[in-house]
Amino acid sequence: MNEKILQARDAVKRTWQRPWARRLSVWAAVVAVSLTGVVVGTMLFAQAEIAVGPFRADMSISPSVEGGTEVQIPPLGSLHLDSHDGPIHLKVNLGSLDQGRTEALIDDPTAISAAGQSAVDDVTKGVLQLGLRALGAAIVCALILSALIFRNVRRVAAAGVLALVVTGGSLGLAAGTIRPDSISEPRYEGLLVNAPAVVGDARRIADNYGRYADQLQQLVSNVSRIYTTVSALPVFEPSGNSTRILHVSDLHLNPTSWGVIRTVVKQWDIDAVVDTGDIVDWGSNAETSYVSNIGQLGVPYVYVRGNHDSLAIQEAVARQKNAIVLDDTTVTIDGLTLAGIGDPEFTPDKSENPPADADEPVTSPLLTSGERLATTIRAAQTKVDVAVVHDPAMAPPLSGLVPVVLAGHTHKREVSVLAAPSPAPSSSVAPSAPAPSASAGVTAPPQETRLLVEGSSGGAGLRGLEKEEPTPLMMSVLYFDETHALKAYDDIQLGGTGEQNVTMQRKVVGKDEPEPTTDPSAISGVTPEIRPNGSVPPGR
């Protein structure tokens, strides 16, 4: 047995001593060293930072068996695309805004359009630049490594040529097998709550893939425009003793809303948040945990119940730190007195039709509830500055009693002036006697009541995806002066699920505010377009 092993070893030794076997071993070593240099060079140096408008994007290439593309979107997660075959894996890390480029866009508004138009070219040039850098890094590292090991010009040159062939072939294979439609079937990795916002509607993406170049240009323009718009807002400087109220409504269980609300509370130095209801969808006990974010806002959170909110949800809100539930009650915050009442109806299931006579003034529970709040306001010892309801249909009885009524429910932002209350018949008792003026025996005329209906601050929840375009997230910052009069408000709108645009419009009451209608049904609810100079186009 030992003799056979010795014979086999001698045969192998004689084989390796032959010239062709030596050459084979040398070239095998050259191949191994060259491939090692390709991998090391690609991993260490195949990286590039490109500028897309005001953005910075870090791109890198690494060896991979399956290929594909990974798009990192911190802190939301990552998208994985089956974009190509081959041993090349592309990774894109979307970084933050570049301060210098953003300031340059602000100083030169005409550069915004140019930045959007060049966005696609910027990405294309970045990929080409990265490919050339990867090719150069692979060849140089292979040459250096082979020179250190072989110290032979011929072998070093062979290693360099082999690195060129391997890297160039890999890049060519990736380019030849590229699948542009892979963007319609991404794989998302990250927090579950962020998946819809990152991935978007796959069917809509697939159907509109041909427009993606234009959408990339629009994304750059939109984000750049918000900086220019803020710098050119109409002149209105809130005084130091102004009260700032953030009006939100119809969150409908959208977890993204809390992050946006926290940001606005901090950036706008908000004194209190007013929520006009529909904070959840079904009013179930399982949804009560959603309201736990209220205590993290750090400011009073005034809430009235919506038609999707049960009494259990109202009680859960009341248990939160800083939460104030208004249900035919009043509260004073920073000198501003608010009165509110919950929606009398609990109708989370819209498949059930309301009673046929629900809109009749005599039987409508909404108007009856509005009358209850009006009675509470008349009996209040402190002048009420703001009335808070969920459904705008509850507001008519409040006309002339308060200067401002806040509501939600419609998922559309609307501004109107309530019709003046009709004079009471001589045979009946007037339901709302105007407050007496300073002069004895003289009665002041009823005050004008402005109704501000907020859009959905949660993008209408899941129902916001039912339409072709997602419902945007809307909220408003209201400025009250030291006399508790509404002086201005900022309308903030963020693109809905799958959208990236942000707009903000400041309106000064009695100055540049569009003339409100006295017929709420005639309001379109469309937010005026924001232009770079902060103006509103005519006819909108």
PDB file of all heavy atoms in Angstrom, residues 387-420:
ATOM      1  N   ALA A 387     -64.043  77.818  17.537  1.00  0.00           N
ATOM      2  CA  ALA A 387     -64.903  76.651  17.721  1.00  0.00           C
ATOM      3  C   ALA A 387     -64.319  75.496  16.927  1.00  0.00           C
ATOM      4  O   ALA A 387     -63.816  75.686  15.809  1.00  0.00           O
ATOM      5  CB  ALA A 387     -66.333  76.944  17.270  1.00  0.00           C
ATOM      6  N   VAL A 388     -64.373  74.290  17.496  1.00  0.00           N
ATOM      7  CA  VAL A 388     -63.753  73.114  16.886  1.00  0.00           C
ATOM      8  C   VAL A 388     -64.808  72.028  16.707  1.00  0.00           C
ATOM      9  O   VAL A 388     -65.423  71.593  17.695  1.00  0.00           O
ATOM     10  CB  VAL A 388     -62.589  72.591  17.755  1.00  0.00           C
ATOM     11  CG1 VAL A 388     -61.880  71.435  17.039  1.00  0.00           C
ATOM     12  CG2 VAL A 388     -61.603  73.703  18.065  1.00  0.00           C
ATOM     13  N   VAL A 389     -65.029  71.605  15.461  1.00  0.00           N
ATOM     14  CA  VAL A 389     -65.966  70.526  15.154  1.00  0.00           C
ATOM     15  C   VAL A 389     -65.300  69.606  14.128  1.00  0.00           C
ATOM     16  O   VAL A 389     -64.239  69.923  13.592  1.00  0.00           O
ATOM     17  CB  VAL A 389     -67.304  71.064  14.598  1.00  0.00           C
ATOM     18  CG1 VAL A 389     -68.013  71.907  15.638  1.00  0.00           C
ATOM     19  CG2 VAL A 389     -67.077  71.865  13.313  1.00  0.00           C
ATOM     20  N   HIS A 390     -65.928  68.473  13.865  1.00  0.00           N
ATOM     21  CA  HIS A 390     -65.371  67.565  12.848  1.00  0.00           C
ATOM     22  C   HIS A 390     -65.989  67.807  11.483  1.00  0.00           C
ATOM     23  O   HIS A 390     -65.283  68.064  10.512  1.00  0.00           O
ATOM     24  CB  HIS A 390     -65.579  66.112  13.267  1.00  0.00           C
ATOM     25  CG  HIS A 390     -65.155  65.134  12.199  1.00  0.00           C
ATOM     26  ND1 HIS A 390     -63.843  65.007  11.792  1.00  0.00           N
ATOM     27  CD2 HIS A 390     -65.877  64.266  11.435  1.00  0.00           C
ATOM     28  CE1 HIS A 390     -63.766  64.090  10.833  1.00  0.00           C
ATOM     29  NE2 HIS A 390     -64.991  63.627  10.590  1.00  0.00           N
ATOM     30  N   ASP A 391     -67.284  67.746  11.402  1.00  0.00           N
ATOM     31  CA  ASP A 391     -67.990  67.872  10.130  1.00  0.00           C
ATOM     32  C   ASP A 391     -68.388  69.327   9.904  1.00  0.00           C
ATOM     33  O   ASP A 391     -68.996  69.949  10.778  1.00  0.00           O
ATOM     34  CB  ASP A 391     -69.239  66.982  10.141  1.00  0.00           C
ATOM     35  CG  ASP A 391     -69.795  66.757   8.739  1.00  0.00           C
ATOM     36  OD1 ASP A 391     -69.818  67.718   7.949  1.00  0.00           O
ATOM     37  OD2 ASP A 391     -70.220  65.625   8.460  1.00  0.00           O
ATOM     38  N   PRO A 392     -68.063  69.912   8.742  1.00  0.00           N
ATOM     39  CA  PRO A 392     -68.477  71.302   8.478  1.00  0.00           C
ATOM     40  C   PRO A 392     -69.985  71.504   8.566  1.00  0.00           C
ATOM     41  O   PRO A 392     -70.440  72.634   8.769  1.00  0.00           O
ATOM     42  CB  PRO A 392     -67.969  71.555   7.047  1.00  0.00           C
ATOM     43  CG  PRO A 392     -66.884  70.559   6.829  1.00  0.00           C
ATOM     44  CD  PRO A 392     -67.259  69.350   7.628  1.00  0.00           C
ATOM     45  N   ALA A 393     -70.763  70.426   8.419  1.00  0.00           N
ATOM     46  CA  ALA A 393     -72.217  70.543   8.523  1.00  0.00           C
ATOM     47  C   ALA A 393     -72.665  70.922   9.925  1.00  0.00           C
ATOM     48  O   ALA A 393     -73.821  71.302  10.125  1.00  0.00           O
ATOM     49  CB  ALA A 393     -72.879  69.228   8.105  1.00  0.00           C
ATOM     50  N   MET A 394     -71.755  70.852  10.896  1.00  0.00           N
ATOM     51  CA  MET A 394     -72.080  71.240  12.270  1.00  0.00           C
ATOM     52  C   MET A 394     -71.876  72.735  12.502  1.00  0.00           C
ATOM     53  O   MET A 394     -72.222  73.255  13.561  1.00  0.00           O
ATOM     54  CB  MET A 394     -71.209  70.447  13.256  1.00  0.00           C
ATOM     55  CG  MET A 394     -71.327  68.937  13.109  1.00  0.00           C
ATOM     56  SD  MET A 394     -70.002  68.024  13.962  1.00  0.00           S
ATOM     57  CE  MET A 394     -70.355  68.428  15.670  1.00  0.00           C
ATOM     58  N   ALA A 395     -71.281  73.432  11.518  1.00  0.00           N
ATOM     59  CA  ALA A 395     -70.851  74.814  11.723  1.00  0.00           C
ATOM     60  C   ALA A 395     -71.930  75.876  11.595  1.00  0.00           C
ATOM     61  O   ALA A 395     -71.822  76.925  12.252  1.00  0.00           O
ATOM     62  CB  ALA A 395     -69.703  75.135  10.759  1.00  0.00           C
ATOM     63  N   PRO A 396     -72.986  75.731  10.773  1.00  0.00           N
ATOM     64  CA  PRO A 396     -73.943  76.827  10.594  1.00  0.00           C
ATOM     65  C   PRO A 396     -74.495  77.431  11.882  1.00  0.00           C
ATOM     66  O   PRO A 396     -74.604  78.662  11.961  1.00  0.00           O
ATOM     67  CB  PRO A 396     -75.049  76.194   9.746  1.00  0.00           C
ATOM     68  CG  PRO A 396     -74.330  75.175   8.921  1.00  0.00           C
ATOM     69  CD  PRO A 396     -73.275  74.612   9.842  1.00  0.00           C
ATOM     70  N   PRO A 397     -74.843  76.662  12.927  1.00  0.00           N
ATOM     71  CA  PRO A 397     -75.349  77.292  14.151  1.00  0.00           C
ATOM     72  C   PRO A 397     -74.330  78.177  14.865  1.00  0.00           C
ATOM     73  O   PRO A 397     -74.694  78.958  15.749  1.00  0.00           O
ATOM     74  CB  PRO A 397     -75.737  76.095  15.036  1.00  0.00           C
ATOM     75  CG  PRO A 397     -75.955  74.972  14.084  1.00  0.00           C
ATOM     76  CD  PRO A 397     -74.958  75.191  12.996  1.00  0.00           C
ATOM     77  N   LEU A 398     -73.046  78.075  14.475  1.00  0.00           N
ATOM     78  CA  LEU A 398     -71.992  78.848  15.127  1.00  0.00           C
ATOM     79  C   LEU A 398     -71.744  80.179  14.438  1.00  0.00           C
ATOM     80  O   LEU A 398     -70.925  80.978  14.905  1.00  0.00           O
ATOM     81  CB  LEU A 398     -70.688  78.034  15.151  1.00  0.00           C
ATOM     82  CG  LEU A 398     -70.789  76.649  15.795  1.00  0.00           C
ATOM     83  CD1 LEU A 398     -69.497  75.874  15.583  1.00  0.00           C
ATOM     84  CD2 LEU A 398     -71.085  76.775  17.281  1.00  0.00           C
ATOM     85  N   SER A 399     -72.436  80.446  13.340  1.00  0.00           N
ATOM     86  CA  SER A 399     -72.231  81.684  12.602  1.00  0.00           C
ATOM     87  C   SER A 399     -72.582  82.886  13.463  1.00  0.00           C
ATOM     88  O   SER A 399     -73.646  82.946  14.090  1.00  0.00           O
ATOM     89  CB  SER A 399     -73.096  81.689  11.336  1.00  0.00           C
ATOM     90  OG  SER A 399     -72.953  82.898  10.635  1.00  0.00           O
ATOM     91  N   GLY A 400     -71.666  83.848  13.515  1.00  0.00           N
ATOM     92  CA  GLY A 400     -71.867  85.061  14.299  1.00  0.00           C
ATOM     93  C   GLY A 400     -71.475  84.942  15.749  1.00  0.00           C
ATOM     94  O   GLY A 400     -71.389  85.964  16.441  1.00  0.00           O
ATOM     95  N   LEU A 401     -71.223  83.720  16.222  1.00  0.00           N
ATOM     96  CA  LEU A 401     -70.856  83.529  17.633  1.00  0.00           C
ATOM     97  C   LEU A 401     -69.352  83.587  17.854  1.00  0.00           C
ATOM     98  O   LEU A 401     -68.887  84.064  18.887  1.00  0.00           O
ATOM     99  CB  LEU A 401     -71.380  82.178  18.134  1.00  0.00           C
ATOM    100  CG  LEU A 401     -72.876  82.063  18.405  1.00  0.00           C
ATOM    101  CD1 LEU A 401     -73.216  80.654  18.861  1.00  0.00           C
ATOM    102  CD2 LEU A 401     -73.305  83.076  19.464  1.00  0.00           C
ATOM    103  N   VAL A 402     -68.567  83.050  16.905  1.00  0.00           N
ATOM    104  CA  VAL A 402     -67.114  82.994  17.030  1.00  0.00           C
ATOM    105  C   VAL A 402     -66.499  83.471  15.719  1.00  0.00           C
ATOM    106  O   VAL A 402     -67.109  83.331  14.653  1.00  0.00           O
ATOM    107  CB  VAL A 402     -66.631  81.559  17.349  1.00  0.00           C
ATOM    108  CG1 VAL A 402     -67.028  81.146  18.756  1.00  0.00           C
ATOM    109  CG2 VAL A 402     -67.173  80.564  16.331  1.00  0.00           C
ATOM    110  N   PRO A 403     -65.301  84.015  15.767  1.00  0.00           N
ATOM    111  CA  PRO A 403     -64.670  84.482  14.522  1.00  0.00           C
ATOM    112  C   PRO A 403     -64.114  83.353  13.665  1.00  0.00           C
ATOM    113  O   PRO A 403     -63.994  83.499  12.452  1.00  0.00           O
ATOM    114  CB  PRO A 403     -63.546  85.397  15.008  1.00  0.00           C
ATOM    115  CG  PRO A 403     -63.251  84.934  16.395  1.00  0.00           C
ATOM    116  CD  PRO A 403     -64.541  84.434  16.971  1.00  0.00           C
ATOM    117  N   VAL A 404     -63.764  82.211  14.275  1.00  0.00           N
ATOM    118  CA  VAL A 404     -63.122  81.123  13.541  1.00  0.00           C
ATOM    119  C   VAL A 404     -63.748  79.792  13.946  1.00  0.00           C
ATOM    120  O   VAL A 404     -63.941  79.530  15.139  1.00  0.00           O
ATOM    121  CB  VAL A 404     -61.594  81.071  13.800  1.00  0.00           C
ATOM    122  CG1 VAL A 404     -60.964  79.864  13.112  1.00  0.00           C
ATOM    123  CG2 VAL A 404     -60.927  82.356  13.326  1.00  0.00           C
ATOM    124  N   VAL A 405     -64.047  78.964  12.949  1.00  0.00           N
ATOM    125  CA  VAL A 405     -64.493  77.588  13.179  1.00  0.00           C
ATOM    126  C   VAL A 405     -63.536  76.668  12.429  1.00  0.00           C
ATOM    127  O   VAL A 405     -63.269  76.868  11.237  1.00  0.00           O
ATOM    128  CB  VAL A 405     -65.940  77.353  12.688  1.00  0.00           C
ATOM    129  CG1 VAL A 405     -66.337  75.889  12.891  1.00  0.00           C
ATOM    130  CG2 VAL A 405     -66.907  78.274  13.414  1.00  0.00           C
ATOM    131  N   LEU A 406     -63.008  75.654  13.113  1.00  0.00           N
ATOM    132  CA  LEU A 406     -62.121  74.681  12.505  1.00  0.00           C
ATOM    133  C   LEU A 406     -62.868  73.367  12.321  1.00  0.00           C
ATOM    134  O   LEU A 406     -63.600  72.930  13.219  1.00  0.00           O
ATOM    135  CB  LEU A 406     -60.876  74.453  13.375  1.00  0.00           C
ATOM    136  CG  LEU A 406     -60.036  75.684  13.700  1.00  0.00           C
ATOM    137  CD1 LEU A 406     -58.822  75.288  14.536  1.00  0.00           C
ATOM    138  CD2 LEU A 406     -59.597  76.405  12.434  1.00  0.00           C
ATOM    139  N   ALA A 407     -62.676  72.718  11.162  1.00  0.00           N
ATOM    140  CA  ALA A 407     -63.351  71.458  10.868  1.00  0.00           C
ATOM    141  C   ALA A 407     -62.471  70.614   9.958  1.00  0.00           C
ATOM    142  O   ALA A 407     -61.388  71.029   9.541  1.00  0.00           O
ATOM    143  CB  ALA A 407     -64.719  71.718  10.220  1.00  0.00           C
ATOM    144  N   GLY A 408     -62.943  69.404   9.651  1.00  0.00           N
ATOM    145  CA  GLY A 408     -62.218  68.485   8.765  1.00  0.00           C
ATOM    146  C   GLY A 408     -63.208  67.682   7.951  1.00  0.00           C
ATOM    147  O   GLY A 408     -64.083  68.215   7.307  1.00  0.00           O
ATOM    148  N   HIS A 409     -63.058  66.357   7.973  1.00  0.00           N
ATOM    149  CA  HIS A 409     -64.019  65.394   7.446  1.00  0.00           C
ATOM    150  C   HIS A 409     -64.016  65.264   5.922  1.00  0.00           C
ATOM    151  O   HIS A 409     -64.101  64.148   5.407  1.00  0.00           O
ATOM    152  CB  HIS A 409     -65.438  65.748   7.917  1.00  0.00           C
ATOM    153  CG  HIS A 409     -66.494  64.777   7.476  1.00  0.00           C
ATOM    154  ND1 HIS A 409     -66.540  63.473   7.918  1.00  0.00           N
ATOM    155  CD2 HIS A 409     -67.536  64.906   6.603  1.00  0.00           C
ATOM    156  CE1 HIS A 409     -67.577  62.851   7.361  1.00  0.00           C
ATOM    157  NE2 HIS A 409     -68.182  63.697   6.557  1.00  0.00           N
ATOM    158  N   THR A 410     -63.903  66.331   5.170  1.00  0.00           N
ATOM    159  CA  THR A 410     -64.069  66.270   3.711  1.00  0.00           C
ATOM    160  C   THR A 410     -62.795  65.855   2.979  1.00  0.00           C
ATOM    161  O   THR A 410     -62.854  65.559   1.785  1.00  0.00           O
ATOM    162  CB  THR A 410     -64.521  67.633   3.170  1.00  0.00           C
ATOM    163  OG1 THR A 410     -63.493  68.599   3.417  1.00  0.00           O
ATOM    164  CG2 THR A 410     -65.811  68.082   3.841  1.00  0.00           C
ATOM    165  N   HIS A 411     -61.654  65.845   3.674  1.00  0.00           N
ATOM    166  CA  HIS A 411     -60.355  65.538   3.067  1.00  0.00           C
ATOM    167  C   HIS A 411     -59.974  66.555   1.997  1.00  0.00           C
ATOM    168  O   HIS A 411     -59.154  66.275   1.125  1.00  0.00           O
ATOM    169  CB  HIS A 411     -60.336  64.133   2.470  1.00  0.00           C
ATOM    170  CG  HIS A 411     -60.542  63.040   3.471  1.00  0.00           C
ATOM    171  ND1 HIS A 411     -60.608  61.707   3.129  1.00  0.00           N
ATOM    172  CD2 HIS A 411     -60.712  63.093   4.822  1.00  0.00           C
ATOM    173  CE1 HIS A 411     -60.801  60.979   4.212  1.00  0.00           C
ATOM    174  NE2 HIS A 411     -60.877  61.796   5.244  1.00  0.00           N
ATOM    175  N   LYS A 412     -60.565  67.742   2.063  1.00  0.00           N
ATOM    176  CA  LYS A 412     -60.224  68.834   1.143  1.00  0.00           C
ATOM    177  C   LYS A 412     -60.066  70.115   1.947  1.00  0.00           C
ATOM    178  O   LYS A 412     -60.852  70.398   2.841  1.00  0.00           O
ATOM    179  CB  LYS A 412     -61.324  69.028   0.087  1.00  0.00           C
ATOM    180  CG  LYS A 412     -61.500  67.883  -0.879  1.00  0.00           C
ATOM    181  CD  LYS A 412     -62.439  68.253  -2.017  1.00  0.00           C
ATOM    182  CE  LYS A 412     -63.815  68.625  -1.504  1.00  0.00           C
ATOM    183  NZ  LYS A 412     -64.744  68.941  -2.612  1.00  0.00           N
ATOM    184  N   ARG A 413     -59.041  70.878   1.598  1.00  0.00           N
ATOM    185  CA  ARG A 413     -58.825  72.156   2.273  1.00  0.00           C
ATOM    186  C   ARG A 413     -59.770  73.192   1.676  1.00  0.00           C
ATOM    187  O   ARG A 413     -59.797  73.421   0.467  1.00  0.00           O
ATOM    188  CB  ARG A 413     -57.378  72.591   2.100  1.00  0.00           C
ATOM    189  CG  ARG A 413     -57.047  73.922   2.744  1.00  0.00           C
ATOM    190  CD  ARG A 413     -55.593  74.257   2.573  1.00  0.00           C
ATOM    191  NE  ARG A 413     -54.761  73.462   3.465  1.00  0.00           N
ATOM    192  CZ  ARG A 413     -53.605  72.908   3.131  1.00  0.00           C
ATOM    193  NH1 ARG A 413     -53.166  73.030   1.897  1.00  0.00           N
ATOM    194  NH2 ARG A 413     -52.902  72.208   3.994  1.00  0.00           N
ATOM    195  N   GLU A 414     -60.556  73.823   2.537  1.00  0.00           N
ATOM    196  CA  GLU A 414     -61.541  74.804   2.097  1.00  0.00           C
ATOM    197  C   GLU A 414     -61.562  75.985   3.064  1.00  0.00           C
ATOM    198  O   GLU A 414     -61.359  75.830   4.261  1.00  0.00           O
ATOM    199  CB  GLU A 414     -62.937  74.178   2.047  1.00  0.00           C
ATOM    200  CG  GLU A 414     -63.055  72.993   1.108  1.00  0.00           C
ATOM    201  CD  GLU A 414     -64.416  72.322   1.178  1.00  0.00           C
ATOM    202  OE1 GLU A 414     -65.164  72.584   2.138  1.00  0.00           O
ATOM    203  OE2 GLU A 414     -64.719  71.523   0.281  1.00  0.00           O
ATOM    204  N   VAL A 415     -61.810  77.162   2.526  1.00  0.00           N
ATOM    205  CA  VAL A 415     -61.964  78.381   3.331  1.00  0.00           C
ATOM    206  C   VAL A 415     -63.260  79.038   2.913  1.00  0.00           C
ATOM    207  O   VAL A 415     -63.505  79.240   1.718  1.00  0.00           O
ATOM    208  CB  VAL A 415     -60.783  79.352   3.133  1.00  0.00           C
ATOM    209  CG1 VAL A 415     -60.987  80.608   3.977  1.00  0.00           C
ATOM    210  CG2 VAL A 415     -59.467  78.681   3.496  1.00  0.00           C
ATOM    211  N   SER A 416     -64.100  79.385   3.875  1.00  0.00           N
ATOM    212  CA  SER A 416     -65.375  80.033   3.551  1.00  0.00           C
ATOM    213  C   SER A 416     -65.791  80.923   4.706  1.00  0.00           C
ATOM    214  O   SER A 416     -65.255  80.834   5.808  1.00  0.00           O
ATOM    215  CB  SER A 416     -66.462  78.987   3.273  1.00  0.00           C
ATOM    216  OG  SER A 416     -66.699  78.205   4.426  1.00  0.00           O
ATOM    217  N   VAL A 417     -66.740  81.807   4.427  1.00  0.00           N
ATOM    218  CA  VAL A 417     -67.362  82.644   5.449  1.00  0.00           C
ATOM    219  C   VAL A 417     -68.793  82.157   5.609  1.00  0.00           C
ATOM    220  O   VAL A 417     -69.548  82.084   4.634  1.00  0.00           O
ATOM    221  CB  VAL A 417     -67.332  84.133   5.063  1.00  0.00           C
ATOM    222  CG1 VAL A 417     -68.152  84.961   6.057  1.00  0.00           C
ATOM    223  CG2 VAL A 417     -65.890  84.632   5.016  1.00  0.00           C
ATOM    224  N   LEU A 418     -69.129  81.782   6.833  1.00  0.00           N
ATOM    225  CA  LEU A 418     -70.473  81.270   7.078  1.00  0.00           C
ATOM    226  C   LEU A 418     -71.508  82.364   6.832  1.00  0.00           C
ATOM    227  O   LEU A 418     -71.282  83.535   7.147  1.00  0.00           O
ATOM    228  CB  LEU A 418     -70.593  80.755   8.513  1.00  0.00           C
ATOM    229  CG  LEU A 418     -69.774  79.503   8.851  1.00  0.00           C
ATOM    230  CD1 LEU A 418     -69.939  79.158  10.322  1.00  0.00           C
ATOM    231  CD2 LEU A 418     -70.169  78.334   7.972  1.00  0.00           C
ATOM    232  N   ALA A 419     -72.622  81.954   6.268  1.00  0.00           N
ATOM    233  CA  ALA A 419     -73.706  82.900   6.040  1.00  0.00           C
ATOM    234  C   ALA A 419     -74.185  83.470   7.366  1.00  0.00           C
ATOM    235  O   ALA A 419     -74.207  82.776   8.387  1.00  0.00           O
ATOM    236  CB  ALA A 419     -74.852  82.206   5.309  1.00  0.00           C
ATOM    237  N   ALA A 420     -74.544  84.753   7.350  1.00  0.00           N
ATOM    238  CA  ALA A 420     -75.010  85.401   8.581  1.00  0.00           C
ATOM    239  C   ALA A 420     -76.272  84.706   9.071  1.00  0.00           C
ATOM    240  O   ALA A 420     -77.107  84.261   8.275  1.00  0.00           O
ATOM    241  CB  ALA A 420     -75.280  86.874   8.321  1.00  0.00           C
TER     242      ALA A 420
END
